[in-house]
């Protein structure tokens, strides 16, 4: 039998989409014998592709792609094809779903079988980059005589490639995608100058879904990145402000990457980049769907949405309390100590941005019509715009309400514990605060008493990967984390999140994993943080540095293109492959303080950029801040190091009848990941 082997160039055999797939046929006889490709016994429609053959005409569902010699199948691969509209593994399409492709100037697809698929006609435009840094669209890109006389080249000194960019927009997985790359309109080969880096952009925010959405903060016409030779890509469902759904983001990343493979060629490396919610997506994709990203550049990072949201809801409770006569007596110093942040402005910023996601009626995307939104009396089956309701495929429902269950729990939380221990607030203030703090209810209202999350729901959240536990490839994917310090500003991006992630990603021997460096620079405010650049912090240079790191790993035989299945680089291999000079980097008064110990101990960096926390860490939670529902121990007045009267001690047990948090043990329901590549 002929020595021939057929395999997919990229991706999983059971997760092919769009009716086509790129395969490579290899073996000793590949160039010796005559062979053909068939699908389930019928000669396939194929096209020559830079990486092999593009096989078209796959029916939805299972098929077998076969290599045939003299009527005999000598090699085959079974694939499962899914619609280009999805879903693949994210679960059934959530309905209703509101389209926004017209906001991008796209036309509806005439062959769409369901308007809720939000399918649009693919649009290709060509753009010229001018020497003054501006862009203009080329009306007739194939006629070079119409190109602008001040057309730039891709490198200001010594470059010769005309700075002309192909931009493609369309719909995949019900998302609007956007791709750009330096290209030649008359070249037979697509993007001949592409360096093989798929520079994938993830937008921030945290939206409540049910919409095709928008793209926020992801500029695919980034001249510096394009000049470097990168192919830039993003989509509306890789913008967390559209849907705070990391599984849907992972699925869309996979499908858009497959589209790049099929229409251009297989990327050398897929490198993610994005801040805030864009960082969350990368960490959870690396944990839950390892292999989709080869490297990550995260900015103003959060570990995940689920361990951040309890502190956000705490801000709402604390802000309400500070509006009472007793709470209004708290000074700015006392509020800062209770809140845990560097300034009370952080809770104000949370209230102005993402706290509305606690209410099913307030945090809805602008594309969702008012008449479609939930109302407990007028429209009880309407769209609910909370974080948990946007994840109906990923979370269980409450037996009491029928709505998607929340993970938020504040039973046993000793609000202001550290402030009491430090004698910043009095015992009476501590007791009054905790007695009256209240809790958010399913419809976003605040009522007296604490809220207890169902332990089964909490366990499900951990098991299915909504909490960043450092799983998957999070300890092996090269990562540069850009931290813009704004702990004393009106912002929501606090420094301690970066170190919370570091704690969660430590190895079993407590060493850092060796795959992540942190670059720290001064920030400013919320807008600066969302922009992701400041001083000489260059996101494009970060991606180029990550590509160098990956190349070194490949040369060592443990990189994305050279290691075998199931093989990951060790800590020593990751450290050895770092580009020269790459390490933790802290900019202090214009000077870079560099080294892997720069964030430990007392030094200029830690003095300039102190780490704070949030209401949970100020209540005693560890730096990892990964406990959603704490285990309890009996309340003990002697545990605070300040004197309680007998009456105050008795009141303490009344305020905490079930006990207070015991942060020295794992939380209730805090279990390891069930696995990776889960389907819903």
């Amino acid at each position: 039998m002929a020595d021939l082997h057929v395999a997919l160039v990229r991706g999983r055999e059971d997760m092919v989409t769009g009716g086509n797939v790129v395969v490579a046929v290899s073996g000793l006889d590949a160039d010796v014998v005559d062979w053909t490709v068939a699908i389930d016994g019928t000669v396939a429609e194929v096209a020559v592709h830079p990486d092999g053959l593009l096989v078209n005409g796959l029916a939805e569902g299972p098929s077998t792609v076969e290599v045939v010699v003299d009527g005999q199948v000598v090699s085959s691969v079974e694939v499962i094809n899914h619609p280009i509209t999805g879903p693949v593994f994210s679960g059934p399409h959530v309905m209703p779903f509101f389209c926004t492709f017209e906001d991008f100037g796209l036309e509806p697809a005439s062959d769409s079988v369901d308007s809720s698929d939000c399918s649009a006609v693919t649009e290709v435009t060509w753009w010229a980059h001018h020497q003054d840094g501006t862009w203009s669209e080329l009306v007739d890109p194939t006629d070079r005589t119409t190109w602008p006389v001040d057309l730039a080249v891709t490198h200001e000194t010594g470059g010769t490639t005309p700075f002309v960019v192909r931009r493609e927009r369309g719909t995949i997985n019900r998302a609007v995608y956007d791709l750009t790359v330096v290209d030649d309109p008359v070249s037979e080969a697509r993007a001949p100058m592409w360096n093989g880096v798929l520079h994938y952009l993830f937008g921030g925010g945290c939206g409540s879904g049910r919409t095709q959405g928008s793209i926020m903060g992801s500029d695919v016409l980034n001249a510096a990145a394009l000049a470097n030779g990168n192919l830039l890509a993003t989509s509306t469902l890789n913008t967390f402000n559209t849907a705070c759904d990391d599984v849907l983001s992972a699925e869309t990343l996979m499908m858009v990457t497959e589209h790049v493979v099929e229409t251009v060629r297989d990327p050398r490396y897929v490198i993610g980049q994005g801040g805030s919610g864009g960082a969350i997506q990368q960490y959870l994709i690396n944990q839950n769907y390892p292999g989709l990203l080869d490297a990550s550049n995260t900015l103003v990072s959060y570990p995940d949405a689920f361990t951040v949201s309890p502190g956000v809801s705490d801000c709402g409770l604390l802000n309400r309390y500070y509006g009472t006569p007793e709470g209004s007596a708290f000074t700015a110093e006392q509020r800062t100590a209770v809140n845990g942040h560097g300034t009370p402005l952080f809770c104000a910023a949370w209230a102005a941005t993402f706290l509305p996601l606690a209410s099913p009626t307030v945090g809805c995307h602008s594309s969702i019509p008012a008449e479609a939104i939930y109302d407990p009396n007028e429209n009880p089956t309407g769209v609910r715009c909370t974080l948990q309701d946007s994840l109906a495929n990923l979370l269980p429902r409450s037996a009491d309400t029928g709505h998607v269950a929340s993970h938020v729990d504040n039973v046993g939380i000793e609000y202001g514990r550290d402030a009491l221990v430090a004698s910043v607030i009095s015992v009476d203030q501590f007791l009054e605060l905790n007695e009256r703090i209240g809790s958010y209810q399913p419809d976003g209202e605040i009522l007296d008493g604490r809220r207890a999350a169902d332990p089964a729901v909490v366990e499900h959240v951990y098991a299915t990967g909504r909490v960043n536990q450092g799983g998957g490839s999070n300890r092996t994917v090269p990562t540069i984390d850009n931290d813009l310090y704004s702990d004393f500003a009106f912002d929501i991006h606090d420094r301690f999140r970066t170190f919370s992630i570091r704690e969660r990603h430590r190895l079993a021997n407590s060493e850092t994993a060796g795959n992540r460096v942190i670059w720290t620079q001064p920030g400013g405010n919320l807008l600066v943080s969302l922009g992701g650049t400041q001083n000489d912090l260059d996101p494009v240079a970060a991606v180029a540095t990550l590509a160098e790191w990956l190349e070194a790993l490949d040369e060592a035989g443990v990189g994305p293109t050279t290691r075998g299945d199931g093989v990951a680089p060790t800590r020593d291999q990751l450290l050895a492959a770092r580009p020269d000079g790459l390490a933790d980097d802290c900019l202090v008064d214009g000077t870079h303080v560099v080294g892997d110990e720069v964030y430990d101990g007392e030094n200029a960096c830690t003095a300039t950029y102190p780490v704070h926390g949030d209401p949970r860490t100020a209540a005693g939670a560890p730096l990892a801040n990964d406990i959603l529902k704490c285990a309890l121990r009996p309340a003990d007045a002697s545990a605070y190091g300040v004197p309680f009267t007998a009456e105050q001690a008795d009141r303490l047990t009344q305020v905490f009848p079930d006990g207070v948090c015991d942060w020295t043990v794992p939380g209730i329901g805090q279990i390891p990941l069930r696995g990776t590549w889960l389907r819903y």
Side-chain angles (χ1 to χ4, degrees):
M1 182 177 290
D3 182 34
L4 295 171
H5 309 279
V6 62
L8 271 62
V9 166
R10 178 180 287 266
R12 295 168 61 106
E13 290 87 351
D14 59 346
M15 294 185 180
V16 171
T17 66
N20 42 34
V21 65
V22 177
V23 300
V25 178
S26 60
L28 296 176
D29 295 327
D31 297 322
V32 177
V33 301
D34 292 330
W35 49 268
T36 58
V37 174
I39 300 174
D40 295 330
T42 301
V43 175
E45 175 192 342
V46 300
V48 176
H49 185 277
D51 298 305
L53 293 173
L54 175 63
V55 180
N56 298 301
L58 293 171
E60 285 187 22
S63 297
T64 302
V65 178
E66 304 158 334
V67 176
V68 180
V69 177
D70 295 332
Q72 298 294 316
V73 176
V74 296
S75 181
S76 65
V77 57
E78 294 184 1
V79 299
I80 300 177
N81 176 53
H82 304 264
I84 196 64
T85 54
V88 181
F89 54 76
S90 65
H93 279 162
V94 175
M95 300 296 291
F97 190 80
F98 299 93
C99 306
T100 60
F101 60 80
E102 291 182 349
D103 296 343
F104 296 84
L106 300 178
E107 298 292 331
S110 59
D111 58 350
S112 177
V113 296
D114 185 346
S115 61
S116 67
D117 286 341
C118 296
S119 297
V121 177
T122 301
E123 173 194 78
V124 174
T125 54
W126 293 84
W127 294 79
H129 189 58
H130 297 260
Q131 293 173 7
D132 64 0
T134 60
W135 293 92
S136 65
E137 185 176 353
L138 295 175
V139 177
D140 185 2
T142 60
D143 184 357
R144 292 175 182 264
T145 64
T146 66
W147 290 7
V149 295
D150 64 339
L151 180 67
V153 292
T154 54
H155 297 283
E156 293 180 3
T157 57
T160 59
T161 302
F163 209 147
V164 172
V165 170
R166 182 185 189 274
R167 183 176 195 176
E168 178 184 323
R169 294 193 294 186
T171 52
I172 290 176
N173 204 27
R174 300 203 299 180
V176 175
Y177 70 88
D178 202 350
L179 308 175
T180 57
V181 67
V182 172
D183 205 346
D184 184 344
V186 297
S187 172
E188 292 184 4
R190 279 287 309 278
M193 302 302 294
W194 179 31
N195 64 10
V197 172
L198 174 52
H199 182 164
Y200 209 100
L201 302 173
F202 295 90
C206 184
S208 57
R210 301 297 187 112
T211 173
Q212 196 168 32
S214 55
I215 292 173
M216 183 179 79
S218 298
D219 181 15
V220 295
L221 287 176
N222 183 315
L226 290 164
N228 269 10
N230 300 351
L231 189 157
L232 273 67
T234 192
S235 87
T236 54
L237 291 182
N238 298 117
T239 299
F240 236 31
N241 211 47
T242 295
C244 207
D245 186 336
D246 61 279
V247 175
L248 193 57
S249 175
E251 182 177 74
T252 306
L253 164 65
M254 180 189 74
M255 294 175 71
V256 172
T257 301
E258 180 187 357
H259 178 70
V260 171
V261 173
E262 292 166 354
T263 58
V264 189
R265 62 180 184 274
D266 186 28
R268 186 166 56 109
Y269 303 125
V270 182
I271 300 178
Q273 184 175 64
S276 192
I280 292 175
Q281 292 172 76
Q282 293 179 75
Y283 285 122
L284 294 186
I285 288 171
N286 289 335
Q287 170 173 275
N288 300 319
Y289 298 93
L292 290 178
L293 291 174
D294 297 315
S296 287
N297 176 211
T298 55
L299 304 91
V300 290
S301 293
Y302 295 113
D304 54 65
F306 275 68
T307 55
V308 172
S309 55
V312 177
S313 64
D314 289 342
C315 275
L317 301 176
L318 289 166
N319 287 345
R320 185 190 75 137
Y321 180 72
Y322 296 144
T324 67
E326 295 80 6
S328 64
F330 277 59
T331 66
E333 178 191 9
Q334 290 174 325
R335 296 183 190 196
T336 298
V338 170
N339 294 3
H341 307 120
T343 168
L345 291 174
F346 261 73
C347 270
W350 277 119
T353 52
F354 296 104
L355 188 57
L357 281 176
S359 167
T361 62
V362 179
C364 303
H365 191 274
S366 59
S367 64
I368 301 177
E371 61 270 18
I373 297 173
Y374 167 85
D375 181 278
N377 300 313
E378 302 297 327
N379 191 13
T381 61
V383 174
R384 291 173 56 87
C385 300
T386 68
L387 170 62
Q388 66 269 17
D389 284 295
S390 72
L391 304 176
N393 284 339
L394 310 186
L395 301 173
R397 292 186 176 271
S398 166
D400 295 330
T401 66
H403 302 312
V404 181
S406 173
H407 63 288
V408 176
D409 181 294
N410 70 341
V411 174
I413 302 294
E414 301 164 277
Y415 292 98
R417 186 187 200 284
D418 288 355
L420 173 62
V421 170
S423 297
V424 176
I425 62 174
S426 69
V427 172
D428 284 336
Q429 284 179 305
F430 171 76
L431 293 171
E432 181 73 16
L433 167 64
N434 280 282
E435 188 173 63
R436 301 189 58 184
I437 191 67
S439 60
Y440 277 95
Q441 300 304 303
D443 277 359
E445 70 275 28
I446 298 176
L447 298 179
D448 292 338
R450 303 298 180 100
R451 180 174 180 175
D454 183 342
V457 172
V458 174
E459 185 172 304
H460 179 88
V461 166
Y462 282 107
T464 56
R466 304 288 72 73
V467 173
N468 178 353
Q469 301 188 52
S473 59
N474 263 329
R475 294 184 175 96
T476 57
V477 164
T479 302
I480 295 174
D481 188 3
N482 293 351
D483 177 50
L484 298 178
Y485 191 79
S486 57
D487 274 22
F488 298 107
F490 181 83
D491 203 344
I492 58 174
H493 301 98
D494 33 10
R495 181 166 175 75
F496 100 92
R497 310 292 181 181
T498 289
F499 294 94
S500 171
I501 295 167
R502 187 169 75 159
E503 290 303 300
R504 300 187 197 188
H505 291 192
R506 287 189 184 275
L507 302 177
N509 62 4
S510 297
E511 286 187 312
T512 57
N515 68 312
R516 181 170 176 259
V517 298
I518 302 169
W519 291 353
T520 300
Q521 297 206 4
N525 54 44
L526 182 59
L527 293 178
V528 171
S529 293
L530 292 176
T533 58
Q534 179 79 344
N535 298 301
D536 60 350
L537 192 154
D538 182 356
V540 176
V543 171
T545 301
L546 287 166
E548 288 183 46
W549 198 348
L550 292 170
E551 289 167 353
L553 288 169
D554 272 332
E555 290 176 5
V558 290
T561 66
T562 57
R563 64 175 178 254
D565 291 340
V567 176
T570 65
R571 182 179 192 272
D572 288 343
Q573 289 169 329
L574 286 160
L575 293 174
R578 280 187 188 175
D580 290 343
L582 179 61
D584 288 337
D585 187 315
C586 187
L587 183 65
V588 179
D589 295 330
T591 300
H592 288 273
V593 182
V594 181
D596 289 336
E597 309 300 325
V598 71
Y599 298 124
D600 300 318
E602 296 182 4
N603 56 51
C605 179
T606 55
T608 304
Y609 304 111
V611 176
H612 297 96
D614 75 348
R616 295 289 163 116
T617 62
L623 177 59
N625 205 28
D626 56 355
I627 294 175
L628 296 175
K629 183 180 180 70
C630 65
L632 301 175
R633 58 174 176 79
D636 180 2
S638 67
Y640 303 93
V642 296
F644 278 62
T645 66
E647 181 181 356
Q648 289 170 332
D650 182 60
R651 187 180 179 190
L652 177 69
T653 60
Q654 295 177 32
V655 172
F656 296 104
D658 300 316
V660 297
C661 287
D662 183 354
W663 302 109
T664 65
V665 298
I668 295 171
Q670 188 176 9
I671 63 173
L673 295 169
R674 181 187 302 162
T676 60
W677 286 90
L678 300 182
R679 296 171 181 263
Y680 295 89

